[in-house]
Amino acid sequence: MTEKLVEAIVAMREEDAARITEDLLKSGTDPFEILTMGRDAMGIIGQKYSDGEYFIPELIMGGEIMNQVVEKVKPLIEEKKAEEGTKTIGKVVIGTVIGDIHDIGKNLVTFFLDINGFEVIDLGVDVAPEKFVEAVKESGTKVVGLSGFLTLAFDGMKQTVEALKEAGLRDGVKVMIGGGQIDDNIRKYAGADAYGDNAQEAIALAKQWIGG
């Protein structure tokens, strides 16, 4: 049935996705498995966008459906987290960089980081470099996540890394970037330490850098 969930999200069948999610939860499916299926679906939607099959409206719709799935599984995950007594591993500052308002990927990464024991400081979208600088100073974080979907976000990422450098903070933090068309060339251009294709990679990087 998890494959049906992927199909429903990719096909933008909102009601079907909600019903399948509820059926999966009632049948005892691990909520993390459901989220993984949702992540896979968003990956397919992103690829369809890159191939010119889908456009911005489909991206937005897919993100809204995925948010609904997250809201349905979140209570169970929070309950599980409370039972296990998950300790806070460390703080992560994250945001979609200036010039970009897409938050689908950012929200997924934020949620996965949260349920894996990180305190996430989500700055939202279209975040100016100085806002990241302020957040790093206030939180004392060792990890910064820069998200962006549009190609113009590449410059925003570069500007943010340079702002951290100018503020004398760059040596004390690790910067990861992610979203849309990010690859190692963009990582080098932005001056980031690493890039991730999905939320699991973001978690692995954060744990590696913080030592969790």
Side-chain angles (χ1 to χ4, degrees):
M1 195 184 292
T2 49
E3 289 181 2
K4 289 184 179 180
L5 177 60
V6 173
E7 292 172 6
I9 296 173
V10 172
M12 308 290 150
R13 299 200 310 271
E14 187 174 1
E15 291 183 2
D16 284 350
R19 176 182 53 77
I20 293 168
T21 300
E22 290 171 359
D23 288 346
L24 285 168
L25 290 172
K26 287 176 184 175
S27 68
T29 303
D30 189 328
F32 287 101
E33 184 180 347
I34 295 173
L35 287 176
T36 299
M37 291 302 103
R39 181 205 69 198
D40 291 346
M42 293 308 298
I44 294 171
I45 291 172
Q47 187 59 53
K48 283 181 175 293
Y49 175 84
S50 297
D51 293 341
E53 292 181 48
Y54 278 1
F55 301 94
I56 295 295
E58 283 80 12
L59 284 176
I60 294 172
M61 184 64 181
E64 289 176 353
I65 294 173
M66 188 58 209
N67 285 338
Q68 290 176 27
V69 171
V70 168
E71 286 306 309
K72 289 182 182 298
V73 303
K74 192 171 184 178
L76 288 177
I77 290 177
E78 292 292 351
E79 186 179 311
K80 196 172 182 180
K81 184 177 171 184
E83 288 174 358
E84 294 174 353
T86 306
K87 294 181 180 179
T88 301
I89 297 172
K91 297 177 181 179
V92 177
V93 167
I94 192 170
T96 300
V97 297
I98 192 167
D100 199 330
I101 59 170
H102 291 89
D103 63 359
I104 298 169
K106 174 186 68 65
N107 290 347
L108 267 179
V109 171
T110 296
F111 181 65
F112 272 90
L113 284 169
D114 176 62
I115 62 180
N116 276 274
F118 292 93
E119 179 184 337
V120 186
I121 299 152
D122 186 350
L123 303 180
V125 300
D126 193 21
V127 183
E130 52 268 26
K131 288 282 185 66
F132 281 101
V133 170
E134 289 172 14
V136 170
K137 285 180 178 178
E138 291 174 5
S139 66
T141 183
K142 295 179 181 177
V143 179
V144 176
L146 306 180
S147 178
F149 187 83
L150 302 174
T151 54
L152 57 82
F154 303 160
D155 286 332
M157 292 175 176
K158 184 179 180 67
Q159 291 165 16
T160 301
V161 172
E162 289 176 349
L164 289 169
K165 198 177 296 183
E166 290 173 7
L169 300 170
R170 183 66 181 92
D171 290 342
V173 296
K174 292 287 189 179
V175 179
M176 67 172 86
I177 61 175
Q181 305 163 63
I182 301 298
D183 58 22
D184 199 52
N185 288 327
I186 304 305
R187 179 198 66 76
K188 291 175 183 175
Y189 173 76
D193 295 290
Y195 76 96
D197 286 327
N198 54 58
Q200 273 68 27
E201 289 186 11
I203 292 163
L205 285 168
K207 285 184 175 179
Q208 176 187 328
W209 291 338
I210 291 177

